[in-house]
């Protein structure tokens, strides 16, 4: 299974193509659009979310809601394109307008300009923008439906915002409740505290980040491999999470905390009562690069959005003079968007690993092969 995307933030549309989907997978378009709406929700979002109302339009690979086994192509239109046509049209436009040279610290602006030989950061930021994640949510939701057919579910919640951290442990079934909360947090008191911080940051022209926890339930053991570094499941999943804009750290299970503890407090002891099991899950469901049948637990640290309304100190790439960074329309806090995006990219990366092991040209074959596993 493979996914490729295309499109600019203010271009005509975002486009995605998924190769390798088996035939006869039922596609729930309403769920895809629901997840796209979640990506645009959350406390602290900016004005762009009021313009776009993302909906998937499937172009090929599906007939009567079922996949055909051929590449599934889809697009998500950018409604804001009409406001940017004069500056973004591929057929010809006025590129002297909307030029950005006051490069923003923390963005791809300057490094991209130097790498791709352009004097206008617009040519970089349009693709580097987190707007691109809309297609990854759509593709990830389709992957989620593939996994669900095997009994595997993906969910998550926001664990902390700007240092306000929820250290409680929640059951998998509780996690979905977070999606109806302003910051996707499960502790109301902590969430209220975080909301107050976001409000203060907004008033100061500043931004907030946080930590997202992703959980995967129902995956059998043996996915991923210890035989090659590139096939280790934790490496595959962590790479997927790290590919999301603004993610600066990823951990599995205990993660960094395991470095501070004795081995007897870290490693999950193994028991047997007709089948192998563990009473703890410090490994986060992955041992030796392979799923061990326990819940997979991943966390990602999401940095504050680098576009600040008050602007950080920088240099104008045209004049080389010190200036305040340019301000693009932006959010104060996009941690809720990050949560559903991270769920989606984890789902697609896992679906790739599952498909690699199971193969199968149609869903009946895939399900039968999965059911034969111990």
């Amino acid at each position: 299974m493979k996914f490729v995307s295309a499109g600019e933030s203010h271009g005509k549309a975002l486009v995605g193509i998924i190769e390798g989907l088996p035939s006869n997978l039922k596609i729930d378009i309403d769920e895809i659009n629901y997840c796209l709406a979640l990506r645009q929700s959350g406390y602290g979002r900016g004005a762009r979310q009021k313009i776009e109302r993302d909906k998937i339009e499937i172009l090929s690979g599906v007939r009567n809601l079922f996949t055909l086994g051929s590449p599934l192509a889809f697009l998500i239109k950018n409604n804001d394109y009409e406001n940017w046509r004069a500056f973004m049209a591929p057929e010809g436009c006025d590129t002297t307008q909307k030029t950005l040279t006051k490069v923003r610290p923390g963005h791809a602006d300057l490094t991209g300009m130097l790498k791709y030989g352009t004097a206008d950061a617009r040519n970089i930021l349009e693709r580097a923008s987190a707007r691109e994640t809309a297609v990854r949510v759509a593709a990830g939701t389709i992957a989620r439906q593939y996994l669900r057919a095997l009994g595997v579910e993906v969910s998550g919640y926001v664990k902390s915002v700007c240092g306000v951290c929820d250290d409680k442990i929640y059951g998998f079934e509780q996690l979905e409740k977070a999606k109806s909360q302003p910051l996707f947090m499960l502790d109301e008191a902590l969430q209220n505290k975080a909301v107050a911080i976001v409000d203060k940051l907004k008033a100061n022209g500043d931004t907030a980040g946080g930590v997202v926890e992703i959980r995967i339930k129902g995956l059998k053991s043996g996915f991923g491999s210890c035989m090659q570094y590139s096939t280790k499941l934790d490496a595959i999943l962590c790479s997927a999470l790290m590919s999301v804009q603004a993610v600066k750290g990823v951990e599995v299970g205990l993660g960094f905390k395991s470095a501070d503890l004795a081995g007897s407090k870290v490693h999950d002891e193994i028991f047997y009562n007709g089948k192998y099991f563990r009473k703890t899950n410090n490994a986060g469901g992955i041992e030796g690069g392979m799923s061990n049948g326990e819940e997979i637990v991943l966390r990602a640290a999401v940095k504050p959005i680098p576009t600040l309304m008050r602007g950080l100190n920088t240099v104008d790439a045209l004049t080389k003079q010190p200036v305040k960074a340019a301000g693009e329309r932006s959010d104060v806090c996009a941690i809720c968007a990050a949560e559903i995006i991270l769920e989606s990219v984890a789902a697609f990366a896992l679906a790739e690993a599952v498909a690699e092991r199971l193969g199968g040209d149609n869903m009946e074959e895939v399900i039968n092969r999965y059911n034969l596993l111990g």
Side-chain angles (χ1 to χ4, degrees), residues 40 48-55 76-77 79:
Q40 296 184 286
R48 179 74 186 267
Q49 313 314 318
K50 298 177 182 178
I51 297 173
E52 305 294 352
R53 290 291 184 269
D54 291 340
K55 302 285 184 184
I76 299 169
K77 293 180 180 177
N79 293 332

Side-chain angles (χ1 to χ4, degrees), residues 64 86 96 108 118 148 155 207 227 241 244 260 274 283 324 361 366:
N64 192 32
T96 65
T118 177
R148 186 178 296 135
S155 192
T207 56
M227 298 304 179
L241 298 190
V244 174
D260 300 329
K324 291 293 184 180
D361 294 314
V366 175

Side-chain angles (χ1 to χ4, degrees), residues 24 47 57 75 90 199 227 242 254 266 295 315 322 345 357 367:
N24 300 328
E57 181 180 343
L75 64 79
D199 287 342
M227 298 304 179
M242 282 297 299
L254 272 184
V266 172
E295 271 190 22
V315 172
V345 300
R357 184 182 185 191
I367 293 168

Side-chain angles (χ1 to χ4, degrees), residues 234-256:
D234 40 4
I236 291 168
L237 293 174
C238 289
S239 175
L241 298 190
M242 282 297 299
S243 74
V244 174
Q245 291 87 334
V247 171
K248 300 301 286 184
V250 177
E251 61 180 10
V252 182
L254 272 184
F256 286 100

Side-chain angles (χ1 to χ4, degrees), residues 55-178:
K55 302 285 184 184
I56 190 173
E57 181 180 343
I58 296 177
L59 304 176
S60 69
V62 176
R63 184 184 185 204
N64 192 32
L65 299 179
F66 286 88
T67 56
L68 301 174
S70 55
L72 192 160
F74 66 90
L75 64 79
I76 299 169
K77 293 180 180 177
N78 289 330
N79 293 332
D80 206 16
Y81 175 68
E82 292 307 315
N83 299 320
W84 286 74
R85 181 188 294 272
F87 322 115
M88 291 295 297
E91 300 86 1
C93 63
D94 184 359
T95 59
T96 65
Q97 302 296 315
K98 301 292 186 181
T99 298
L100 192 149
T101 59
K102 298 176 181 179
V103 291
R104 299 162 298 169
H107 265 290
D109 296 354
L110 179 58
T111 305
M113 289 173 71
L114 297 174
K115 176 179 174 64
Y116 291 100
T118 177
D120 183 3
R122 175 71 52 197
N123 293 343
I124 306 303
L125 68 90
E126 285 289 333
R127 180 60 182 166
S129 168
R131 174 75 185 139
E132 175 265 348
T133 58
V135 284
R136 292 214 270 173
V137 168
T141 308
I142 292 170
R144 186 195 301 264
Q145 293 168 8
Y146 167 87
L147 294 171
R148 186 178 296 135
L150 306 178
V152 179
E153 291 287 350
V154 182
S155 192
Y157 72 108
V158 172
K159 191 169 182 65
S160 75
V161 175
C162 215
V164 179
C165 185
D166 184 353
D167 290 322
K168 290 185 287 298
I169 298 174
Y170 297 97
F172 188 89
E173 292 72 19
Q174 295 175 276
L175 303 184
E176 200 60 27
K177 298 176 183 177

Side-chain angles (χ1 to χ4, degrees), residues 253-268 282-283:
L254 272 184
F256 286 100
K257 288 183 180 179
S258 63
D260 300 329
L261 301 173
S264 59
K265 303 295 183 182
V266 172
H267 302 297
D268 304 304
N282 295 328

